[in-house]
Amino acid sequence: ISTTTARFTACSEQGGKDPMELRKLTVEGFINETASSSPAPGGGSIAALNASSSAALIAMVANLTLGKEKYAAVEGDMKEVAAKAAALKDDFLALIDEDSNAFNKIMAAFKMPKDTDEAKKARSAAIQDATKGAALVPFKVGQKANELFALAETVITKGNQNAITDGAVAAMNARAAVRGAFLNVKINLGSIKDALFVEDLKKRMAEIEKDVDAREKALLDQVKL
């Protein structure tokens, strides 16, 4: 059974909840909402949260390096990394809500009338369009999360070594974000009838996934404790 059908059924049984800005919840509130009977936020939003946490840690290590005489030679690198990581952090925070909103669009499509043949066709088309959207959001998360490895490498190899483990955690969260986001893409692809769309996303994900584990390992190997 696809995530589209399973999560829609679960939400229908619970009556659903009004949309909210997940990124503005407290940490406790977000975790409790995830643990509730509501099907959103789900794995896609959590993948975006992992990516945002990774970017935040990278920015933190870069900022802890700036202004230190010992690291004066990499001041320019750290300013660039801090700015890029901060921008990605905000992008991923927005994607937390974008993922849940994409699921809400699927719910709305499933609730469309189907009392005539014309209505059924319109409903089916809307479900397909919404499901494509629900696949594209986590794809964007995974694709952008892949950019975090290069930034993590910079702070791990050049940044403040007192915060090197924070860089390592960033690398682990980046990998979790890529893997988690792409799992959410793949389960949605099972409900999409557009074969070209499906094959294109599968190919693009495979290109990223082929070395994501190795990239994480290479960064963790830099941390000698």
Side-chain angles (χ1 to χ4, degrees), residues 6-74:
R7 291 174 71 193
F8 172 74
T9 301
C11 197
S12 296
E13 290 171 352
Q14 295 297 329
K17 293 186 179 180
D18 293 332
M20 64 180 74
E21 287 190 276
L22 298 170
R23 60 181 167 169
K24 293 187 177 180
L25 295 176
T26 63
V27 173
E28 182 178 13
F30 183 93
I31 294 301
N32 286 341
E33 181 65 19
T34 303
S36 76
S37 59
S38 173
S45 290
I46 295 299
L49 177 63
N50 281 339
S52 187
S53 297
S54 173
L57 283 169
I58 291 167
M60 183 191 79
V61 179
N63 286 320
L64 286 172
T65 308
L66 291 172
K68 301 290 192 299
E69 185 177 350
K70 180 179 178 180
Y71 300 101
V74 296

Side-chain angles (χ1 to χ4, degrees), residues 13-199:
E13 290 171 352
Q14 295 297 329
K17 293 186 179 180
D18 293 332
M20 64 180 74
E21 287 190 276
L22 298 170
R23 60 181 167 169
K24 293 187 177 180
L25 295 176
T26 63
V27 173
E28 182 178 13
F30 183 93
I31 294 301
N32 286 341
E33 181 65 19
T34 303
S36 76
S37 59
S38 173
S45 290
I46 295 299
L49 177 63
N50 281 339
S52 187
S53 297
S54 173
L57 283 169
I58 291 167
M60 183 191 79
V61 179
N63 286 320
L64 286 172
T65 308
L66 291 172
K68 301 290 192 299
E69 185 177 350
K70 180 179 178 180
Y71 300 101
V74 296
E75 185 89 0
D77 290 337
M78 292 301 128
K79 285 182 178 179
E80 184 178 353
V81 168
K84 287 182 178 179
L88 283 169
K89 169 186 63 67
D90 291 341
D91 288 344
F92 291 126
L93 284 175
L95 284 163
I96 291 174
D97 282 307
E98 197 172 327
D99 184 81
S100 288
N101 291 337
F103 175 68
N104 289 334
K105 290 179 182 178
I106 294 177
M107 286 178 55
F110 267 106
K111 291 177 180 178
M112 290 174 64
K114 49 182 177 178
D115 50 342
T116 67
D117 288 342
E118 185 176 341
K120 288 177 182 178
K121 287 181 180 179
R123 177 178 178 272
S124 179
I127 290 171
Q128 285 295 302
D129 286 344
T131 306
K132 284 183 177 180
L136 286 171
V137 174
F139 175 75
K140 188 190 301 184
V141 172
Q143 187 179 47
K144 292 176 76 70
N146 194 48
E147 299 174 21
L148 294 168
F149 289 107
L151 301 178
E153 180 179 14
T154 300
V155 296
I156 288 172
T157 59
K158 298 181 180 180
N160 191 325
Q161 292 301 289
N162 290 326
I164 193 171
T165 53
D166 299 297
V169 174
M172 289 188 284
N173 273 8
R175 177 191 172 278
V178 173
R179 289 293 193 189
F182 285 173
L183 281 175
N184 278 267
V185 176
K186 290 171 185 176
I187 198 166
N188 277 293
L189 292 182
S191 299
I192 295 173
K193 298 175 182 178
D194 185 340
L196 291 177
F197 178 91
V198 170
E199 288 307 310

